[in-house]
Amino acid sequence: MRHSSLLLPGLLGGLLGGLLAAGLSAANIPDMDSARGEQVFSTQGCIQCHALNGTGGHVGPDLLRVLDRSFTPAELAATMWNHAPTMWSKANERNVTVGLLSVGNAADLLAMLYASRFFEKAGDAARGKELFIEKSCGRCHGVTVAVNPKARPLNQWQGLADPVALVSANWNHSSDMWDEISRRKFRWPTLNAQEMTDLVVYIRTHSAAARAEKPQLHIMASSTGAALFTSKGCAACHDANHIAVREATLTSIAASMWNHATFLHNQPPRFEGDEMRSVLGYYWAGQFFGVNGNANRGRKVFETKHCTECHSGAGPGPKLADQAGTFNPVRMVSVIWSHGPQMKERMQQRNIAWPTFKTGEMADLLAFLNSQTTN
């Protein structure tokens, strides 16, 4: 995928401080994995009609080229709903079976589609070179020859293709970096997200191993992340319910923590294997399960879209008030994929037109559905 080569977080002290939350609990976030999402994209037949950065079918749009950073999970669910009849028609023409999509598979699929939005846009090697000099990186890191026996030259760097792994590695070495900078008596360099991006792109130009690595875009989430946030001591300084990463990218989070590494140099917790990925992914995933709509507006959507005729208790569909608190964009994607054709048939029998959603209406509808009571 093109976005993964986008770089990222090198030279950072970590990124736990930028994590997302909005009152999340371990029960809110089911397992989701972008790597599994790629398999779902193929096994569910999506790839026969849709491409991912040019790879796949061309009947529908390339999904990674239509998802910009302002496109929310609720809007993706609304878009799928709006175009569902056309998708089913095209699938029938091509003899593609539209199978059931579990909530777990839908979560994996969304993780895959949105992973690229967690990574920064492409950087510039020329700007990175200027920053390498300006920020005094060369005092410890040579380009082809070791300047400091504790620091590898740039042409020996590895792991630049996996941003999260790179974040974890630099976090684990932040204490050593701080000690060396303090010993040499020069100021800790600060970086913004774009500067970090440019630096990593510059470093990649000098590392044959990094250039040969296939870029990776792998994010996953599970309740393990919440447990690690506590066990690693992050909760001692950060309130998980008030940390925002909803609109952040890895580089902006990493740059923020790099700039605050002076507070963390005294034995920061180590992260092994996929532990950093688990923590980061858990809080990042909250955007898929949180709902930011307006319940009052959602009530009007529920009525004007004729949802009441099937889902208020007297119609053929389930009474949705009985399931209040369980609705989110992931579930809506699963429902439209798995049960949409049946819904459309029932609506035709009752002479109800297939509803479409404008921007914001799906989020409002979800907020209303979660606010209902069975009384």
Side-chain angles (χ1 to χ4, degrees), residues 88-104:
W88 297 325
S89 176
K90 294 294 184 182
N92 288 335
E93 290 175 7
R94 300 171 66 85
N95 293 319
V96 175
T97 300
V98 179
L100 299 179
L101 188 70
S102 68
V103 171

Side-chain angles (χ1 to χ4, degrees), residues 258-281:
W258 170 262
N259 295 339
H260 289 84
T262 53
F263 297 106
L264 303 170
H265 66 275
N266 187 20
Q267 298 302 318
R270 288 187 62 83
F271 287 81
E272 308 294 344
D274 274 332
E275 289 181 337
M276 178 70 78
R277 200 183 309 275
S278 294
V279 174
L280 175 63

Side-chain angles (χ1 to χ4, degrees), residues 101-156:
L101 188 70
S102 68
V103 171
N105 282 345
D108 291 337
L109 188 62
L110 282 177
M112 183 271 292
L113 291 174
Y114 279 86
S116 61
R117 299 174 72 243
F118 204 21
F119 296 86
E120 203 57 75
K121 295 181 179 179
D124 183 273
R127 290 197 304 261
K129 181 178 180 179
E130 294 175 1
L131 287 166
F132 188 81
I133 297 171
E134 176 188 335
K135 301 292 183 179
S136 301
C137 306
R139 292 193 184 188
C140 291
H141 297 284
V143 176
T144 58
V145 178
V147 174
N148 184 325
K150 297 181 180 179
R152 291 182 179 181
L154 302 189
N155 65 349
Q156 295 181 20

Side-chain angles (χ1 to χ4, degrees), residues 91-316:
N92 288 335
E93 290 175 7
R94 300 171 66 85
N95 293 319
V96 175
T97 300
V98 179
L100 299 179
L101 188 70
S102 68
V103 171
N105 282 345
D108 291 337
L109 188 62
L110 282 177
M112 183 271 292
L113 291 174
Y114 279 86
S116 61
R117 299 174 72 243
F118 204 21
F119 296 86
E120 203 57 75
K121 295 181 179 179
D124 183 273
R127 290 197 304 261
K129 181 178 180 179
E130 294 175 1
L131 287 166
F132 188 81
I133 297 171
E134 176 188 335
K135 301 292 183 179
S136 301
C137 306
R139 292 193 184 188
C140 291
H141 297 284
V143 176
T144 58
V145 178
V147 174
N148 184 325
K150 297 181 180 179
R152 291 182 179 181
L154 302 189
N155 65 349
Q156 295 181 20
W157 279 40
Q158 299 178 351
L160 296 174
D162 183 349
V164 182
L166 187 59
V167 166
S168 183
N170 281 280
W171 171 279
N172 289 338
H173 288 91
S174 61
S175 180
D176 292 336
M177 289 188 285
W178 168 259
D179 290 344
E180 189 65 17
I181 286 176
S182 298
R183 186 181 69 79
R184 290 169 173 258
K185 298 186 182 338
F186 61 89
R187 183 177 299 177
W188 186 270
T190 59
L191 299 165
N192 60 37
Q194 189 60 58
E195 288 174 336
M196 185 167 289
T197 295
D198 294 337
L199 274 169
V200 175
V201 172
Y202 169 66
I203 293 168
R204 284 182 62 87
T205 65
H206 291 285
S207 172
R211 292 195 303 271
E213 288 180 291
K214 181 181 179 181
Q216 300 180 44
L217 266 183
H218 183 205
I219 198 73
M220 61 185 185
S222 71
S223 58
T224 301
L228 284 167
F229 187 82
T230 299
S231 66
K232 294 295 183 179
C234 311
C237 295
H238 298 288
D239 181 350
N241 291 325
H242 295 89
I243 304 173
V245 79
R246 222 175 267 275
E247 301 302 326
T249 61
L250 263 180
T251 39
S252 62
I253 294 169
S256 175
M257 286 311 299
W258 170 262
N259 295 339
H260 289 84
T262 53
F263 297 106
L264 303 170
H265 66 275
N266 187 20
Q267 298 302 318
R270 288 187 62 83
F271 287 81
E272 308 294 344
D274 274 332
E275 289 181 337
M276 178 70 78
R277 200 183 309 275
S278 294
V279 174
L280 175 63
Y282 175 79
Y283 290 95
W284 174 74
Q287 65 182 305
F288 302 109
F289 303 96
V291 177
N292 296 317
N294 181 286
N296 289 329
R297 292 196 302 261
R299 179 186 297 275
K300 294 180 180 179
V301 172
F302 190 76
E303 295 170 352
T304 58
K305 304 297 183 183
H306 300 284
C307 308
T308 54
E309 298 183 29
C310 291
H311 296 291
S312 294

